[in-house]
Amino acid sequence: MTDTTAAAPATDTLSRLEQEGEIAADYLEGLLDIADLDGDIDMDVEADRASVSVVAEGDSRDLQRLVGRDGEVLEAIQELTRLAVLRETGERSRLMLDIAGFRARKRERLTDLAREAVAEVRETGESKRLEPMTPFERKVVHDAVADAGLRSESEGEEPQRRVVVLP
């Protein structure tokens, strides 16, 4: 007899995250229609959260309006999309939204920043305080620091909350 109880929670979680992605995709398709913008929507599940990307069918400059200055509009659209998921499922979502590759490029830059901080901390043996960051940015840096084998913590209050890389 095979025990399937251990696999059930993982399958349930994946199914729930896929449902979140589908709800988000429907919401974003409506938004793109209203804004008269062209874009394809890609869905994925990564790190125990639904991930949805709006990618340009051609020139990505039109989608830049949905990113805004330093991702401010993107953050607002992500929250609206999470609220659409909440309305449909009754559960708060940790869905991650990317538009025109903005977050992917930012993740690469932050990972490089984290590697530089790790190298400096290893060289000096002293903690390194980074500039204030958004929750998304801090998560990327914490993950990169952990991957490099060091510890980090957040300190301060929003909007001045920052990552400290520890020796």
Side-chain angles (χ1 to χ4, degrees), residues 125-139:
E126 296 183 13
S127 298
K128 169 83 174 167
R129 296 176 75 225
L130 303 177
E131 294 297 315
M133 298 178 185
T134 67
F136 163 76
E137 294 168 333
R138 291 193 307 269
K139 170 85 168 96

Side-chain angles (χ1 to χ4, degrees), residues 73-86:
V73 177
L74 169 59
E75 289 290 334
I77 293 171
Q78 176 176 276
E79 280 308 306
L80 291 171
T81 305
R82 287 176 173 177
L83 287 172
V85 172
L86 173 66

Side-chain angles (χ1 to χ4, degrees), residues 25-70:
D26 289 344
Y27 176 80
L28 291 166
E29 283 174 0
L31 181 69
L32 290 173
D33 286 344
I34 291 168
D36 196 28
L37 295 172
D38 292 325
D40 291 328
I41 299 178
D42 293 335
M43 296 181 298
D44 198 4
V45 173
E46 53 186 51
D48 290 336
R49 69 170 58 189
S51 174
V52 179
S53 299
V54 180
V55 293
E57 291 178 345
D59 187 359
S60 69
R61 285 180 285 183
D62 284 344
L63 290 180
Q64 292 305 314
R65 292 186 292 166
L66 299 180
V67 173
R69 188 173 55 95
D70 200 32

Side-chain angles (χ1 to χ4, degrees), residues 91-118:
E91 295 183 23
R92 184 86 172 117
S93 171
R94 294 177 49 234
L95 176 126
M96 184 62 64
L97 175 64
D98 192 6
I99 298 176
F102 175 82
R103 281 219 164 104
R105 289 187 301 277
K106 190 160 209 162
R107 183 176 280 124
E108 286 177 29
R109 288 192 305 269
L110 290 166
T111 300
D112 290 344
L113 174 71
R115 286 185 189 125
E116 291 169 10
V118 164

Side-chain angles (χ1 to χ4, degrees), residues 66 68 72 118 155 158:
L66 299 180
E72 290 174 342
V118 164
E155 70 175 24
E158 296 293 351

